[in-house]
Amino acid sequence: TPIYKDVVSIYKREIIPEWKSIWTNICNHNTSNYFLLYKDLPINTSLVLNFFTSRKHSTTITRIRMNHGNFPSHLYKIGLNESPLCEDDNEIADLNHLFLACSRYSNARDNFIAELIRLGYQLPININTLMVSERKDVYVSVIEFCKNTGLWI
């Protein structure tokens, strides 16, 4: 195991600082959702995925966190939809709209927001704020909203 100790030492001394430097440089020049959420190198992002035993739930949370999925604004961005607009409200159908404003999901949204308030969140809120949480109850609330609406991202 002396080799293992050497490798770990090199990793901590050289590779992690280099990785952090590259990450910071990318964050300063990239506006993708993931880099906006994590200005610093994420240390334990797999923690969130450990909250769920269902692949469907883990995949949904990952897609929401990455702002990639089966919703009009993203599908439009990648050329698979003719419009980024919500059919019900004629607004950009991004994740914030779908979770927090869309008239189609008003009953589920009211329950979702009430649960977030119960958990200590204050309004206004946005989906990015929720996705940097390390609280299981927040992610369970997001999944519950998806179940209640049939909105699997």
Side-chain angles (χ1 to χ4, degrees):
T1 71
I3 293 175
Y4 172 78
K5 289 181 181 179
D6 288 344
V7 170
V8 170
S9 175
I10 292 169
Y11 175 74
K12 288 181 178 178
R13 186 180 65 244
E14 296 178 19
I15 296 175
I16 289 179
E18 179 66 18
W19 188 11
K20 285 181 179 180
S21 174
I22 292 169
W23 186 270
T24 301
N25 188 37
I26 291 171
C27 284
N28 290 335
H29 299 94
N30 193 314
T31 59
S32 79
N33 201 55
Y34 194 80
F35 292 112
L36 293 173
L37 289 175
Y38 297 103
K39 296 284 186 192
D40 296 320
L41 182 65
I43 302 302
N44 199 7
T45 59
S46 63
L47 169 73
V48 173
L49 300 181
N50 292 332
F51 291 155
F52 303 105
T53 55
S54 163
R55 185 175 191 280
K56 183 177 188 176
H57 296 171
S58 294
T59 301
T60 298
I61 292 299
T62 298
R63 287 178 179 164
I64 293 170
R65 292 176 91 188
M66 300 297 289
N67 200 30
H68 288 211
N70 188 21
F71 53 96
S73 67
H74 180 68
L75 296 175
Y76 176 76
K77 182 178 177 180
I78 62 174
L80 296 177
N81 229 16
E82 291 183 17
S83 171
L85 300 179
C86 174
E87 293 175 359
D88 298 298
D89 301 316
N90 207 32
E91 293 181 24
I92 301 292
D94 60 9
L95 291 172
N96 281 311
H97 174 75
L98 295 172
F99 277 83
L100 303 170
C102 185
S103 63
R104 181 183 303 179
Y105 307 123
S106 60
N107 291 336
R109 180 183 59 255
D110 292 346
N111 294 333
F112 179 58
I113 290 175
E115 180 61 12
L116 294 175
I117 290 169
R118 189 189 71 73
L119 294 173
Y121 283 88
Q122 296 189 11
L123 300 179
I125 192 82
N126 68 53
I127 202 71
N128 289 345
T129 302
L130 299 175
M131 292 297 104
V132 295
S133 173
E134 292 185 358
R135 294 177 53 184
K136 180 178 181 176
D137 50 9
V138 170
Y139 293 98
V140 168
S141 298
V142 170
I143 292 298
E144 196 61 33
F145 177 87
C146 293
K147 285 181 186 176
N148 292 337
T149 59
L151 183 65
W152 295 103
I153 303 302

